[in-house]
Structure formats: structure tokens, C-alpha cells
Amino acid sequence: MAKLYVIEGPFKGKTFDLDGETVFIGRSSRNDIQIKDVTISRKQIKIFRIGKKFLVEDLKSTNGTMINGELIEPGEGFEVDEGDTISIGNTVVRLGEISSYNALDKKHLLPPSYKGNQNEKDTSEKDRRSRSPKNLALIYKVSELLRQSLNINEIFEKILEYLFETLPRIDRVAILLYNNEKMQITQVNGRSRQDQGAKAIYYSQPVVDKVFKDGKAVRMSDTAYEPPSTLLEDMGTAKIRSVLCVPIISNSKISGAIYLDSVRVPYGFRKEDLLLFNTLSGSLAIAIEKAQLADKLKELQADSD
């Protein structure tokens, strides 16, 4: 059964079951879940199910509602997944599942079944188009870029430039090539917003290693609210606040990854950005295949000479 975990606010440490098709949350006792927070409206939000999906609707509250740090429009349902945060007034709740251990023992009362990646849920939505005009513009620019006669290094550098223009909240981006047979990284193109002139390459090695090992995306919107893990140890040292890493899969094998993070603020990317990167990874897989094929043709020509 799904649950809500209160991770910030007057009720911090409490959990609530989401055992109905529709659950109303607010300050009034007439709600299914009452949260006595003066910054919350009498009727703040409703959480409802459509099939296996959960959606959140702001009920024209005074202070508004945010999902993963993004203010949502009232009167419209917004889908939330396990691990997403919902901010209402001074209270922050998080969607999760019942675990075999007592979540109350955790310092920040985190969703207990964190698995690090959301790719299984997100890949089912690949056919959904991003509502962001900037994201659509980026996909178009990348498509046009891949039509040009550029080598793989030039393509990667241009895409890094496009990503910084499209996603102003991210601080570091890297595109990595991976040799699946040798199990090693063969090329890294990266860029940091803080060190643009130096074109320094930064990325979390444990995160990238996990993506290459599992073949699934790693997504952390706010590392401050994640359960302790070896991934977080590295991020604490690097002061990473949010991270997203998506595998590039070609012919059922991992050929690389797209990595981005934010060190200034959490929520360096929106939920819809994962759909964007699923699309980009597919385009890059094709570009990598073409580059590898061109290299093989050159080798064959050299041998024949």
C-alpha cells in the first residue's frame, strides 16, 4: 500500500496511508488527512488514482503546491511517482511504499524502498511528448545536428552546449562512451557551468558505474532526502544536490550514458526532463552506431590498401 511520509513541517515523522481512490489533504478536520499547519489551506490538495498511477491536484490553495520544487497549476492533476516530494505550506511529504522495516527509525523519514533508478516506470512513458517548448526545441536541434557530417566528438560538444542553454539549473553535464566488451569508459565529453573556460569534466563515478552495471537510469531529485548509500557518500564529498544519469543503449548493449547534476540547488531537473533524456539517449545511440560503423569501414579500407 502506498503511504505518505512527512519529511518536513509540524507533523515531521508521521506517515499516512493512501488507502482510497481519492484522498483530500488540508488543515480542516473534514479532510481524509488533516495536517495542522497554518500555512496550509483548509482544503489544500487531493491525491487520486487512475489505474496504478497517482495524481496530485491543487484545490486553489492560498500558498500553492509544489511537486519536486515546481509550482503546479491548480485544478489540474499532476502525476507523481514513488520518491517524489509534495510541498504544501511549510510541510513536505513524500510518496513511498510500505517497507519491511520501520521508517520511523530513519532520521529524515525517507521512503524506505529507494532503488536509485526510475527507468522501469519512465520508459513506459517514452511516447509522451514533453510539454516544455524548450525541450521540444532541443530535440529538434539535436535531430538537425545529427543530419550534419560531424564526428562523434563534435556532436557531443554541441549537445553539451545545447543542454546548458535548455536546462539553466544544472551545473555539470557529461556524455560518456562505454566499451561493453572491455567494460570500460573510452571517451568522456563534459562541461561545468562554473568552469566553462577550462571545459573541466566532472561526474559521480559510483552513479555512472551503477548505470553501466544495471542498464537503468539513476535519478535523485534531492540528495538531502535520500537514504544512506555508497552513492550518497561520493555525492556528499562533491556536494551534489541532484543527479540524473541515463544509459545510452545500442543493439541491447550499453554504449554510453548522459550524466547531469546540480551542486547549487536541489531539483536541477524537472520530471519531464527524464522523458527528454530518454529521447536524447535514443538519438545518441544511433549517432554512436554510425560512428562505429564509419570507423570499421576505415579499418577495412586501410587493410585492403
Side-chain angles (χ1 to χ4, degrees):
M1 179 189 297
K3 297 175 78 78
L4 281 182
Y5 297 81
V6 183
I7 56 179
E8 293 292 343
F11 276 28
K12 181 177 179 179
K14 284 188 173 293
T15 61
F16 299 96
D17 293 336
L18 293 177
D19 53 2
E21 291 298 315
T22 302
V23 176
F24 288 90
I25 301 174
R27 195 176 73 250
S28 170
S29 59
R30 295 185 178 182
N31 292 282
D32 300 298
I33 296 176
Q34 181 187 18
I35 299 179
K36 295 179 180 180
D37 179 343
V38 294
T39 61
I40 294 177
S41 297
R42 293 179 64 82
K43 272 201 171 183
Q44 176 84 20
I45 61 172
K46 73 174 179 180
I47 300 178
F48 57 100
R49 299 174 191 252
I50 297 181
K52 295 182 179 181
K53 298 179 179 179
F54 283 94
L55 294 95
V56 174
E57 179 183 338
D58 180 83
L59 302 174
K60 298 182 179 179
S61 63
T62 302
N63 294 325
T65 300
M66 292 191 294
I67 297 176
N68 291 339
E70 289 294 319
L71 189 67
I72 65 174
E73 291 291 330
E76 183 180 351
F78 288 81
E79 186 180 346
V80 288
D81 290 326
E82 181 180 354
D84 287 342
T85 57
I86 306 167
S87 302
I88 47 178
N90 292 329
T91 295
V92 180
V93 299
R94 194 165 187 183
L95 184 68
E97 297 290 334
I98 290 180
S99 176
S100 59
Y101 65 85
N102 187 358
L104 290 173
D105 292 336
K106 292 293 180 183
K107 181 179 179 181
H108 293 294
L109 197 64
L110 304 168
S113 57
Y114 170 72
K115 294 178 188 269
N117 64 74
Q118 302 291 326
N119 200 48
E120 292 179 1
K121 294 179 182 178
D122 293 313
T123 49
S124 65
E125 301 177 7
K126 280 186 180 180
D127 58 336
R128 288 175 52 189
R129 292 182 179 270
S130 167
R131 291 182 294 177
S132 166
K134 285 187 177 181
N135 286 6
L136 289 174
L138 173 62
I139 292 172
Y140 174 77
K141 289 168 72 174
V142 171
S143 298
E144 290 299 305
L145 178 67
L146 297 180
R147 295 175 185 270
Q148 302 177 31
S149 300
L150 301 174
N151 62 45
I152 199 69
N153 188 65
E154 292 172 321
I155 290 173
F156 285 177
E157 287 297 322
K158 272 293 184 182
I159 290 177
L160 292 176
E161 179 183 325
Y162 295 161
L163 289 175
F164 270 126
E165 292 173 356
T166 306
L167 303 172
R169 290 174 296 173
I170 62 173
D171 293 316
R172 306 183 300 195
V173 182
I175 302 175
L176 305 95
L177 281 182
Y178 183 73
N179 187 312
N180 201 64
E181 295 179 357
K182 296 182 179 180
M183 299 180 65
Q184 64 182 23
I185 296 170
T186 58
Q187 179 178 329
V188 182
N189 292 67
R191 191 170 294 186
S192 166
R193 199 177 294 277
Q194 286 73 24
D195 300 314
Q196 292 188 45
K199 292 188 177 180
I201 297 172
Y202 299 100
Y203 60 90
S204 170
Q205 189 69 53
V207 169
V208 170
D209 288 345
K210 182 172 179 59
V211 170
F212 287 151
K213 179 183 177 182
D214 299 342
K216 297 176 182 178
V218 168
R219 176 168 70 99
M220 296 185 191
S221 298
D222 189 347
T223 57
Y225 293 136
E226 295 291 343
S229 69
T230 54
L231 295 183
L232 287 180
E233 290 176 6
D234 177 71
M235 291 182 201
T237 303
K239 298 181 180 179
I240 297 172
R241 297 299 306 277
S242 60
V243 63
L244 174 65
C245 188
V246 178
I248 300 171
I249 299 176
S250 174
N251 295 322
S252 300
K253 294 182 179 180
I254 296 175
S255 57
I258 310 172
Y259 172 95
L260 65 149
D261 67 27
S262 174
V263 295
R264 294 171 298 163
V265 293
Y267 309 111
F269 50 88
R270 298 184 178 95
K271 185 176 179 180
E272 67 180 12
D273 292 333
L274 186 53
L275 302 178
L276 166 68
F277 280 92
N278 280 330
T279 302
L280 286 181
S281 67
S283 299
L284 285 178
I286 296 172
I288 293 169
E289 286 177 17
K290 289 182 178 179
Q292 291 173 341
L293 180 60
D295 289 340
K296 287 181 180 180
L297 287 174
K298 287 180 182 179
E299 290 177 4
L300 290 174
Q301 290 174 354
D303 292 340
S304 62
D305 294 340

